[in-house]
Amino acid sequence: MRVIVVGAGVVGTMHAWHAVERGHEVVQIERESEARGASLRNFGQIWVSGRAGGEELDTALRARELWEDIGARVPGLGFRAIGSLTLVRNERERAVAEAALARPDAAARGYKLLGADEARAINPALRGEFTGALWCERDAAVEPRTAQLRLRETLLASPNYTFLPGREVREVVGVGSVRDDHGEVHTGDVVVLCTGASLGGLVRELAPELPVRRVRLQMMQTDPLGEPLTTSVADADSFRYYPAYKSPELDALNAGQAQQPTAAAHKMQLLMVQRADGGLTIGDTHEYEHPFAFDTLEDPYDHLTEVVEGFLGRPLPKIRRRWAGVYAQCVDTSRVVHREQVRDGVWLVTGPGGRGMTCSPAIAEKTADELGW
C-alpha cells in the first residue's frame, strides 16, 4: 500500500510512523520546511491524569504505552515517565482531589493523594505554599520542539519513506491522489489529511460543515531553573478544565471559590514541565472567540509567574520566550478526534484539541486499523 500523509505535525507524523511500521510506502507532504503549529507550541506532556473516562482515557493510556515504546527506539524524543503533581491549597481543592481518587479508573491513572511533605519528597523544587497534591503516576513528557524532527530522522532511514517539505496540497484529483502547489500529483492508495488548525482552503472545500473549532493559547518558557523539576506540575484551576474532575466537589469549588480574575478572564490553568535544557514551559490560556488577537497579553503571564513562584518558593528564572499557538478542537469536546472520509480514498483527521500531543500515537494507530493498513 502507498499512503500519502499531508501534514508533518505530530498527528501526521504518527500516521506516517504507523504506516511505515506496517510495511507500507509513505509520502509525507508539509507546506512549511518543518511543521510550526501546535505540535511544537505545547507542553510536551503525555497527560493522562485529567482525561475523561471511557474512550478518551483508553486512548490516552494506549498512547502512553506507544510513546514509551517509541521513546525507547528514538531516544531523541526525550521521553520521561515523570508523572505529575496537581497542587492543592485548601480543603475545597483537596475535596476535588479526593473525589478523583474515588473514580473507578483511578488506579489506571496511577492516582494517589499526597501531603505537602510527601509531594516535596517527590519534587524537592516545590518549596512554596500548598497543602497537598494529587499524584498521577501515568503522566509523562517528551520534547515538543524536537519530537517530530527526531521521529522523521528515524523514518528517513527507511527506504519506504519520503518527506516533501515546502509543498502545499491544493487539490484532490482522484482516488487517493492530490496535487501540490508545484503542480506535482501524488498518487497512493489512500490520502490522510492531518492539517492541524489549518481548516480553510482545501479542508473547507472537502468538509464545509466541519464540526471543529480553533482555540488559541499563550505560553512561555524560562531560562534553566538550576535544579530538577522532577514532575510535571499543575494547579487546582486545572480541575476546572479537565473532564476527569467533574464531581459535586468541583461544583462546590466553583460555587465557593472564584478563580483569580485574570485566570477567569482568560480561562486559565497552570501547567508546567521542565525541558531537557532545564528551562520551564509554563501555561496556559484559552481563547475561543474569533477573530483571535494577533498579539500576546501580559496579564496572563504575570498571573502564571505569581502562581509558579508561590509553589516554588523562589523567583522564576528569566523568561526566555513567549508565544501564542492555535489548535483544532472538536466542537463536541467529548470526541477524541474528528476522522472523516471526505472523498474516495481521502480521509481527514483533525480536532484532537489539547489532546494532540498526548493521544496522537493512538489516534494514528486507530486510523491504520480502521483503514486496514
Side-chain angles (χ1 to χ4, degrees):
M1 180 180 288
R2 193 166 196 256
V3 180
I4 311 298
V5 177
V6 179
V10 70
V11 174
T13 301
M14 283 298 179
H15 278 80
W17 179 273
H18 280 287
V20 170
E21 284 287 284
R22 298 179 186 210
H24 304 305
E25 182 183 354
V26 174
V27 176
Q28 187 172 20
I29 306 170
E30 166 58 39
R31 65 179 182 173
E32 304 275 1
S33 59
E34 288 289 348
R36 298 173 59 83
S39 296
L40 280 71
R41 307 181 196 191
N42 66 77
F43 296 94
Q45 289 175 316
I46 316 305
W47 195 249
V48 173
S49 50
R51 301 300 171 203
E55 180 187 3
E56 184 175 332
L57 178 60
D58 291 344
T59 303
L61 287 170
R62 175 56 181 159
R64 169 65 169 76
E65 294 175 3
L66 291 167
W67 273 117
E68 186 164 13
D69 290 344
I70 297 169
R73 296 172 54 188
V74 188
L77 287 180
F79 177 85
R80 307 182 299 283
I82 56 176
S84 73
L85 292 170
T86 300
L87 305 180
V88 300
R89 290 162 287 200
N90 56 51
E91 287 305 313
R92 284 196 182 99
E93 294 176 355
R94 184 182 180 89
V96 180
E98 290 174 342
L101 284 176
R103 294 183 58 96
D105 53 23
R109 302 169 191 264
Y111 277 164
K112 185 178 180 181
L113 189 59
L114 306 178
D117 289 343
E118 292 174 296
R120 293 188 183 102
I122 292 174
N123 194 336
L126 298 172
R127 302 185 187 90
E129 296 299 319
F130 56 95
T131 61
L134 180 64
W135 163 250
C136 181
E137 182 269 339
R138 296 302 291 161
D139 288 338
V142 295
E143 292 300 297
R145 289 176 179 259
T146 57
Q148 283 78 244
L149 299 177
R150 302 292 86 81
L151 287 167
R152 184 158 304 110
E153 288 172 358
T154 303
L155 285 168
L156 286 167
S158 168
N160 288 339
Y161 176 77
T162 301
F163 180 54
L164 298 178
R167 294 169 181 257
E168 184 172 352
V169 171
R170 293 285 181 83
E171 183 182 7
V172 173
V173 294
V175 177
S177 297
V178 294
R179 179 182 287 115
D180 67 26
D181 57 358
H182 292 216
E184 186 172 347
V185 174
H186 307 275
T187 299
D189 298 285
V190 64
V191 174
V192 184
L193 302 173
C194 302
T195 58
S198 297
L199 304 177
L202 178 63
V203 172
R204 181 176 291 116
E205 178 184 328
L206 295 172
E209 302 300 324
L210 192 63
V212 173
R213 64 180 177 178
R214 286 155 47 92
V215 181
R216 184 178 185 267
L217 53 84
Q218 287 186 203
M219 296 172 61
M220 63 182 179
Q221 187 170 333
T222 73
D223 278 346
L225 182 64
E227 62 181 317
L229 187 78
T230 55
T231 72
S232 294
V233 175
D235 73 348
D237 278 343
S238 67
F239 291 154
R240 308 175 196 262
Y241 181 75
Y242 285 107
Y245 305 118
K246 290 182 179 179
S247 62
E249 289 79 5
L250 178 61
D251 294 340
L253 175 67
N254 288 328
Q257 180 178 314
Q259 274 189 291
Q260 190 269 357
T262 298
H266 297 280
K267 302 176 178 63
M268 296 181 68
Q269 61 178 337
L270 168 69
L271 295 178
M272 176 169 62
V273 62
Q274 190 168 44
R275 300 271 63 91
D277 70 355
L280 304 176
T281 299
I282 301 170
D284 62 349
T285 64
H286 299 88
E287 183 180 355
Y288 302 98
E289 299 299 324
H290 290 236
F292 293 142
F294 61 83
D295 46 8
T296 59
L297 300 175
E298 284 301 300
D299 285 353
Y301 293 121
D302 292 342
H303 169 74
L304 290 169
T305 297
E306 180 180 352
V307 174
V308 172
E309 290 182 345
F311 288 150
L312 295 178
R314 53 167 285 186
L316 269 183
K318 178 182 176 181
I319 304 302
R320 179 187 299 174
R321 55 175 69 98
R322 308 170 193 265
W323 67 89
V326 177
Y327 59 73
Q329 180 186 61
C330 291
V331 174
D332 176 0
T333 56
S334 68
R335 296 181 59 193
V336 174
V337 73
H338 180 75
R339 187 184 288 104
E340 177 184 357
Q341 184 173 1
V342 292
R343 292 291 187 275
D344 288 344
V346 182
W347 289 78
L348 174 65
V349 182
T350 188
R355 299 168 287 211
M357 201 69 179
T358 294
C359 294
S360 55
I363 288 170
E365 181 182 58
K366 185 172 183 180
T367 301
D369 290 343
E370 290 189 357
L371 272 58
W373 295 359

